[in-house]
Amino acid sequence: ATVFLVAVAGILINDTLIGLALCIGFLLIIFLTALTLLLLLKMGMSDEKAFGIFMVALLIHVFSALLLYYMIYHTSLRPLGGGADFDLYQNNAIEIAHRLARGDFSLKGMFTEHYFAVIIGVIYLVTLPHIIIGQLFTAWLAAISVLLVYFLVLQIGGTKKWAFFIGLMTAIYPSYLFFGSVLLKDIIEVPLILAGALLSIQIFKNFSALKFLAFFWVVSGVIHFRFYIGFALLFSFIISWFLVSNLKMGDR
């Protein structure tokens, strides 16, 4: 916690212009975290270890996001050669936020291969168009991914201790510390894939129309961001259905 606070203070001292953006970013994180925990409670999930791994992962990735922001935009260090894609998404998100504020919903001239920049643009519309806010949002998504890994381990028969340990390993996995703390579309794609895998197992164990509909929307999202992974998830579901599903043909 001390290292985290020192890092935040260091960034504020070196760039006072981001002070407001950082405060708004933290308020966004607090709001999203409260919403996540409330949703878990509403779903009847009062697992203290689940709450714990989510908060640990969130703190790790918030620290990583702040550190990477400083390294990329305030020093000559470019981890993994990053920079160009961040700037592309950031510039598009800012322009989209400005257009939405004017009531202009056109994406003409924007990068529209996928809608990651649109999502970030909407966040900028209700907050502030600063990349540190976008990175803090990705930190929350990374924590959601770790939480999904925790539940996935439980679904396949793991204990809570093993689920916590594997979740922690996911949170500190080096490449995910990077890609899960910067402005890249991967941070939305990963939780969608994990949610798809989790829903698949739940459908195989106990089919329901609601779960199947949720799986359909999740797969659609994965296909949108990276189509070949989406189709792999879909075909894996179809093949596994005939191998492990408890719902047999002709069941009512």
Side-chain angles (χ1 to χ4, degrees), residues 66-242:
L66 295 175
L67 180 61
L68 286 169
Y69 168 81
Y70 182 78
M71 291 172 63
I72 294 171
Y73 296 101
H74 293 268
T75 72
S76 59
L77 296 175
R78 295 276 169 165
L80 303 181
D85 287 344
F86 313 152
D87 295 334
L88 171 65
Y89 296 142
Q90 173 66 5
N91 292 336
N92 275 266
I94 291 174
E95 177 60 25
I96 289 168
H98 289 160
R99 291 187 184 185
L100 291 174
R102 299 192 304 265
D104 181 1
F105 299 96
S106 170
L107 294 177
K108 184 177 181 180
M110 298 286 99
F111 177 79
T112 55
E113 184 177 323
H114 52 76
Y115 290 148
F116 175 68
V118 175
I119 295 171
I120 301 300
V122 172
I123 292 171
Y124 286 170
L125 175 66
V126 298
T127 56
L128 196 69
H130 196 291
I131 195 167
I132 194 64
I133 294 177
Q135 286 187 245
L136 289 174
F137 174 70
T138 65
W140 171 74
L141 285 174
I144 290 293
S145 296
V146 172
L147 185 62
L148 289 170
V149 168
Y150 176 89
F151 288 134
L152 193 55
V153 174
L154 294 181
Q155 280 293 318
I156 61 177
T159 64
K160 290 183 179 181
K161 287 184 179 179
W162 270 109
F164 188 94
F165 175 74
I166 294 173
L168 182 60
M169 293 301 100
T170 303
I172 63 175
Y173 190 72
S175 64
Y176 198 54
L177 270 177
F178 178 78
F179 291 108
S181 305
V182 293
L183 212 60
L184 291 175
K185 68 173 183 178
D186 306 74
I187 197 56
I188 289 183
E189 183 184 351
V190 170
L192 285 174
I193 294 170
L194 291 170
L198 183 60
L199 284 167
S200 295
I201 296 173
Q202 290 179 339
I203 290 171
F204 296 151
K205 289 183 175 181
N206 185 22
F207 177 86
S208 76
L210 184 60
K211 291 177 185 176
F212 188 79
L213 182 62
F215 177 79
F216 170 79
W217 284 110
V218 166
V219 170
S220 297
V222 177
I223 291 174
H224 170 72
F225 286 106
R226 195 154 291 176
F227 74 93
Y228 54 88
I229 296 181
F231 283 120
L233 181 61
L234 179 60
F235 291 142
S236 297
F237 174 82
I238 294 172
I239 294 171
S240 299
W241 177 273
F242 295 102

Side-chain angles (χ1 to χ4, degrees), residues 25-37:
F26 280 136
L27 288 175
L28 177 65
I29 285 290
I30 292 170
F31 171 75
L32 292 174
T33 298
L35 194 62
T36 302
L37 299 181

